[in-house]
């Protein structure tokens, strides 16, 4: 082993000290903390993104085909869809707004019509608190928990529903008879209220209310796992007949999702600072190492060491600290992530913010998502940084005339 | 005449703020193989500066420097590194041992830096540790050694590459009188033993008197003391 590598190791693990130098542990801790913070933040951010996507897609499917507001016959969309092998389910929907009267209280909820025989395709079932989507029949309705609470109804109650088209009948002096619907299910999507309709009825009922005949407002498409919704949308848009368009779930909800996008941009911004702090922790650890050794670098220079050898010595030290620090950092990050929920429990209970957390955040369980790529990026940049952070001060010290290095107070 | 180290007309100025001080103005010194020379002078007279310039650890503002036959005045320090290791040994007032290495490892390290193979450096280091009387203390860390013992290790380290010249900058400056005496004895003995010339910077007239030639640095110039009597 060349003397400079030997010396580098000896300085980290001096003879006679069993656990390595204090400095070694201090700077290793610096690197480990930096890496751990990066892994944790990255994983939690990824987790939120993933969780958010999963929830949205569960409710809406990855792709939707609509007529830009105009009703269309679903066969027009089903043609191109049936030729694709990445489609798992494609279900028709009609939607609009109605007035509901219950004991003389009017409310104006959003309403959607679905085909209960294809209940699997809609993804509502997991949100049903009472009853099931497949139990819907033409004179029944599923009601959101929010709406049910608002007007004070439950399973088995009847509500009266007026459609906007009934106004047309009013003009012709017809007697308006509302549609009476029995409540057979109650669902609760505990987030994004404004994207969730208040009522779900059968497609048939909705087509009656809106006089659609057999037309629908959209076809909701669920893709097989692993398929790209962006590709699918691009191809569909080439194949669909004029007047129909395909959108990804993100495009479809763009106006409602801006808050989330804003949040994500904010997080990215904050993450930049976290990265900066982590980088600083790593760099400062290496910097201190070299600065406190400036005089020794002068001595070694006086003894005939070449600048290059000295630079390699300190870069190698940085690399060793980087390897061990990164390992410790990754391991502790994974441990923290594994036990995140107990940790959060303890923290929030200790600070009395537990109820707030559960009440105001959708994700009581902290979601985590990481990819191999995240790890590769974090680990390799931590190693590179640890190695290079020693480089600049080492170059400076090694370039100094030995006499000057000897004169430094360190 | 063949010299192991010679400097001619060395000039050195330091700038401190607006003022410039001329520390060395026209220094000539010729070191013959194996001889011992002492440099005395008041504190701040430029002794360390001169030694550093002779070792090319610091740049002079004028003059020439030869190590043996080789002129090194303007050579870049990266190319000088190995040459310095083989040609010069240095001992400092504050020992400057590598604190993480034990006594033997400190000496071996210098050999390795000078280009020796591991085995060769180890054998040479053991030999020198014996010569400076520390064979029992090889495995002690610097912090476990007294000042005198540390300076012995430093002397062994300076000699490991069989230099032609040993430059010692107040090697007894941090030691009590008795220990200083012993180090002085050792320096003269090992330099003779290893056939290295000794350039010793010291405050002490007594120590200076024990070298073959004595100089005083005063007002930037070097004067030989009792030149007429020390002539053979
Ligand atoms: N890097 C420097 N910058 C400015 N002045 C210096 C520098 N190095 C040494 N000096 C000055 O040069 C003079 C000689 O210093 P030095 O050679 O250390 O003296 P000595 O070793 O004889 O005590 C002193 O006045 C000191 O202040
Ligand atoms: Mg001095």
């Amino acid at each position: 082993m060349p003397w400079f590598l030997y010396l580098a190791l000896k300085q980290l693990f001096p003879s006679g000290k069993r656990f390595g130098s204090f400095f070694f542990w201090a700077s290793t801790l610096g690197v480990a903390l930096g890496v751990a913070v990066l892994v944790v933040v990255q994983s939690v951010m990824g987790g939120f993104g993933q969780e958010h996507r999963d929830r949205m897609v569960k409710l809406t499917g990855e792709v939707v085909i609509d007529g830009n507001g105009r009703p269309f016959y679903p066969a027009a969309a089903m043609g191109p869809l049936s030729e694709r092998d990445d489609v798992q389910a494609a279900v028709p929907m009609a939607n609009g707004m109605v007035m509901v009267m219950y004991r003389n209280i009017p409310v104006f909820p959003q309403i959607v019509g679905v085909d209960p025989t294809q209940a699997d395709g809609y993804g509502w079932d997991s949100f049903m608190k009472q009853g099931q989507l497949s139990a819907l029949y033409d004179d029944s309705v599923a009601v959101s928990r929010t709406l049910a609470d608002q007007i004070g109804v439950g399973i088995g109650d009847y509500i009266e529903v007026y459609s906007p088209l009934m106004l047309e009948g009013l003009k012709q002096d017809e007697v308006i008879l509302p549609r009476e619907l029995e409540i057979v299910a109650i669902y609760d999507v505990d987030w994004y209220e404004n994207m969730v309709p208040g009522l779900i009825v059968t497609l048939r009922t909705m087509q009656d209310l809106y006089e659609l005949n057999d037309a629908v407002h959209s076809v909701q498409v669920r893709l097989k796992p692993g398929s790209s919704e962006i590709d699918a949308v691009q191809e569909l848009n080439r194949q669909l007949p004029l007047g129909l368009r395909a959108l990804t779930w993100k495009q479809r909800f763009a106006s409602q999702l801006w808050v989330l996008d804003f949040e994500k941009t904010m997080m990215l911004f904050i993450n930049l600072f976290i990265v900066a702090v982590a980088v600083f922790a790593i760099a400062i650890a290496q910097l201190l190492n070299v600065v406190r050794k400036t005089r020794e670098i002068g001595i070694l220079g006086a003894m005939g060491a070449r600048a290059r050898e000295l630079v390699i010595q300190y870069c190698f030290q940085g690399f060793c600290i980087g390897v061990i620090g990164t390992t410790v950092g990754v391991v502790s990050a994974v441990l923290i992530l594994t036990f995140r929920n107990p940790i959060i429990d303890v923290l929030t209970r200790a600070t009395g913010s537990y109820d707030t957390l559960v009440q105001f955040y959708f994700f009581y369980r902290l979601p985590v998502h990481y990819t191999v790529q995240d790890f590769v990026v974090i680990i390799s940049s931590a190693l590179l940084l640890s190695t290079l952070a020693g480089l600049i001060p080492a170059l400076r010290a090694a370039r100094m005339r030995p006499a000057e290095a000897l004169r430094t107070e360190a | 005449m063949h010299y192991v180290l010679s400097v001619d007309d060395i000039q050195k100025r330091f700038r401190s703020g607006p003022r410039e001080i001329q520390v060395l103005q026209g220094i000539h010194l010729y070191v013959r193989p194996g001889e011992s020379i002492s440099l005395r002078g008041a504190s701040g007279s430029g002794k360390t500066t001169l030694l550093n310039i002779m070792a090319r650890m610091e740049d002079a503002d004028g003059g020439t420097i030869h190590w043996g036959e080789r002129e090194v005045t303007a050579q870049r320090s990266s190319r000088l590194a190995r040459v310095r290791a083989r040609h010069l040994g240095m001992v400092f007032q504050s020992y400057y041992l590598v604190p993480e290495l034990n006594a033997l490892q400190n000496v071996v390290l210098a050999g390795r830096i000078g280009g020796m193979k591991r085995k060769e450096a180890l054998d040479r280091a053991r030999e020198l540790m014996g010569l400076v009387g520390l064979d029992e203390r090889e495995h002690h860390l610097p912090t476990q050694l007294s000042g005198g013992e540390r300076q012995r290790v430093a002397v062994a380290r300076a000699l490991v590459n069989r230099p032609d010249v040993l430059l010692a900058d107040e090697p007894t400056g941090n030691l009590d009188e008795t220990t200083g005496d012993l180090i002085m004895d050792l320096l003269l003995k090992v330099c003779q033993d290893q056939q290295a010339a000794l350039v010793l910077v010291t405050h002490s007239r007594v120590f200076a008197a024990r070298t073959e030639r004595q100089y005083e640095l005063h007002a930037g110039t070097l004067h030989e003391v009792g030149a007429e009597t020390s002539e053979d």
Side-chain angles (χ1 to χ4, degrees), chain B residues 47-49 93 169-170 201:
Chain B
K47 306 180 296 292
T48 298
T49 306
Q93 181 174 348
D169 190 358
E170 302 193 37
V201 167

Side-chain angles (χ1 to χ4, degrees), chain A residues 379-393:
Chain A
I379 290 173
S380 50
S381 35
L383 286 184
L384 193 71
L385 198 74
S386 312
T387 311
L388 291 187
L391 180 66
I392 291 160

Side-chain angles (χ1 to χ4, degrees), chain A residues 128-323:
Chain A
M128 291 294 162
K129 298 298 175 218
Q130 289 170 284
Q132 279 179 338
L133 195 63
S134 52
L136 272 185
Y137 60 96
D138 285 348
D139 284 313
S140 70
V141 64
V143 183
S144 77
R145 166 76 55 79
T146 319
L147 183 64
D149 289 349
Q150 190 182 352
I151 58 179
V153 292
I155 298 278
D157 289 339
Y158 284 82
I159 55 174
E160 292 176 343
V161 173
Y162 299 81
S163 100
L165 294 187
M166 291 174 179
L167 293 175
E168 207 50 32
L170 264 185
K171 282 197 219 156
Q172 286 141 35
D173 290 337
E174 286 174 19
V175 179
I176 313 178
L177 285 179
R179 186 82 178 249
E180 275 220 332
L181 300 175
E182 183 194 359
I183 298 174
V184 295
I186 289 180
Y187 55 89
D188 189 4
V189 181
D190 49 7
W191 58 302
Y192 301 135
E193 294 289 342
N194 59 344
M195 283 186 235
V196 177
L199 300 176
I200 304 174
V201 294
T202 64
L203 190 59
R204 188 72 267 148
T205 305
M206 188 61 195
Q207 284 166 336
D208 283 351
L209 283 169
Y210 267 68
E211 292 174 13
L212 291 168
N213 297 319
D214 286 328
V216 298
H217 288 113
S218 62
V219 171
Q220 189 169 297
V221 182
R222 202 164 290 280
L223 297 178
K224 287 182 180 153
S227 347
S228 153
E229 63 234 37
I230 293 169
D231 290 352
V233 161
Q234 267 177 2
E235 287 163 25
L236 282 169
N237 275 327
R238 281 197 296 272
Q239 297 158 348
L240 286 168
L242 207 66
L244 293 192
R245 60 174 189 179
L247 302 168
T248 64
W249 62 279
K250 260 192 189 151
Q251 294 169 325
R252 177 188 185 185
F253 291 108
S255 58
Q256 286 102 323
L257 288 179
W258 73 270
V259 180
L260 281 171
D261 271 346
F262 180 68
E263 250 175 50
K264 204 167 165 198
T265 315
M266 279 299 290
M267 281 302 281
L268 206 73
F269 185 63
I270 291 169
N271 206 9
L272 275 182
F273 283 96
I274 293 172
V275 171
V277 170
V279 165
F280 192 68
I282 296 173
I284 207 83
Q286 301 300 341
L287 193 84
L288 282 178
N289 181 27
V290 180
V291 169
R292 95 197 158 110
K293 291 284 187 191
T294 302
R295 189 179 302 176
E296 185 174 302
I297 292 174
I299 297 291
L300 294 173
M303 281 158 58
R306 296 193 178 108
R308 185 167 44 90
E309 296 165 335
L310 292 168
V311 169
I312 296 174
Q313 180 193 341
Y314 284 93
C315 284
F316 179 67
Q317 241 173 41
F319 178 74
C320 292
I321 289 170
V323 168

Side-chain angles (χ1 to χ4, degrees), chain A residues 1 3 6-7 10-11 14-15 293 295-296 299-306 309 401-403 406-407, chain B residues 52 56-59 77-78 81-82 84-85 90 92 96 98-101 105 109-110 112-113 141 157:
Chain A
M1 193 190 322
W3 67 265
Y6 170 79
L7 185 56
K10 269 294 176 195
Q11 286 182 336
S15 320
K293 291 284 187 191
R295 189 179 302 176
E296 185 174 302
I299 297 291
L300 294 173
M303 281 158 58
R306 296 193 178 108
E309 296 165 335
R401 309 288 295 130
L406 284 181
R407 260 197 302 268
Chain B
N52 284 342
R56 288 288 284 114
M57 285 168 53
E58 185 153 7
D59 292 317
S77 57
S78 57
R82 282 289 184 275
R84 178 191 292 129
M90 306 206 44
F92 306 92
Y96 292 144
V98 177
E100 293 90 353
L101 299 183
Q105 289 165 339
L109 177 70
R112 302 278 286 141
I113 291 177
L141 289 175
R157 178 177 71 177

Side-chain angles (χ1 to χ4, degrees), chain A residues 80-91:
Chain A
L81 284 174
S82 65
E83 285 162 24
R84 302 189 60 85
D85 49 15
D86 57 352
V87 174
Q88 189 163 25
V91 289

